[in-house]
Amino acid sequence: KLHGANLVGPTRLWTSFEGTNVLAPEVAGNGTNAAECVYKVTVPSDVPVGIYGVRVATANGTSPLRLVVVDDLPSVAQAAGNNAVPGAQALTLPVAIDGQVGSLSQHYFKFTVAAGQLVTMDVLARRIGSALDPMIRLLDAKGRELAYSDDVPGLRSDSRLCYQFKDAGEYMLELRDIRFQGSGNHFFRLRIG
């Protein structure tokens, strides 16, 4: 789903990855709304996981480049109400979570691991054009901080943790903007696996 302006009469969706796409025919009025259009995109299984570009063309011109993630992890949406520890969103690993951060808020995700399990937690935000400057904290079941990540070199100020769990059990990950800012433009894709 592409949001913007001047999207009436889209003629082509360009992607920097191999694949096919078509304006979704089942969406009523698709292609007649200046604010959005919806495409069905088919990505071949041999396209590597990564960040790619997309642009939409209309009779009025071509959109700016926007970034998307092609991923091999199952995706879930961020759940409402996960902005406090008691409402932490339960996850089954491996998984990728798509969401956004509001102003003065943080989000909590809980998951279970086995003893000795190595887990990577990677936030894609700045790398995909988000205004979010992410910070993550790994917490034990009692809320004690085990590790944190703010700006990882080479990740455009995104956050990443690789953590080997000594003990089996339930753990939580907190995600927020380092300055507690937020909006619809503070979106993320959190990969845990």
Side-chain angles (χ1 to χ4, degrees):
K1 185 180 285 189
L2 303 162
H3 298 276
N6 300 318
L7 294 174
V8 172
T11 57
R12 181 167 186 242
L13 179 70
W14 172 86
T15 62
S16 63
F17 56 86
E18 294 296 322
T20 59
N21 59 70
V22 62
L23 197 60
E26 69 277 5
V27 176
N30 198 10
T32 63
N33 182 346
E36 79 177 31
C37 61
V38 179
Y39 274 87
K40 278 189 164 185
V41 179
T42 303
V43 182
S45 60
D46 61 345
V47 171
V49 169
I51 299 170
Y52 295 91
V54 298
R55 297 179 85 167
V56 64
T58 72
N60 295 319
T62 304
S63 72
L65 181 72
R66 293 294 181 243
L67 300 174
V68 296
V69 179
V70 172
D71 206 340
D72 59 355
L73 294 179
S75 295
V76 298
Q78 171 188 311
N82 74 337
N83 55 354
V85 171
Q89 181 175 352
L91 304 173
T92 301
L93 305 186
V95 68
I97 305 96
D98 294 304
Q100 64 186 37
V101 174
S103 184
L104 301 174
S105 70
Q106 59 272 347
H107 300 283
Y108 293 91
F109 306 92
K110 62 184 177 181
F111 52 91
T112 303
V113 298
Q117 186 173 352
L118 179 64
V119 177
T120 299
M121 295 143 272
D122 186 15
V123 182
L124 288 94
R126 293 291 176 105
R127 289 175 283 169
I128 57 174
S130 174
L132 177 66
D133 185 358
M135 190 278 296
I136 54 175
R137 293 188 324 136
L138 180 62
L139 310 170
D140 67 13
K142 294 181 180 177
R144 293 179 296 216
E145 183 179 291
L146 302 174
Y148 78 94
S149 174
D150 182 9
D151 295 339
V152 175
L155 298 185
R156 299 198 60 214
S157 75
D158 282 348
S159 302
R160 179 184 291 156
L161 283 173
C162 292
Y163 192 86
Q164 186 155 23
F165 293 86
K166 179 182 174 192
D167 300 316
E170 187 173 85
Y171 293 86
M172 283 183 292
L173 188 71
E174 175 190 338
L175 167 65
R176 68 174 175 87
D177 183 86
I178 192 68
R179 299 162 306 210
F180 284 101
Q181 295 180 345
S183 71
N185 289 326
H186 286 71
F187 54 88
F188 64 87
R189 182 166 180 86
L190 170 61
R191 304 180 81 242
I192 306 177

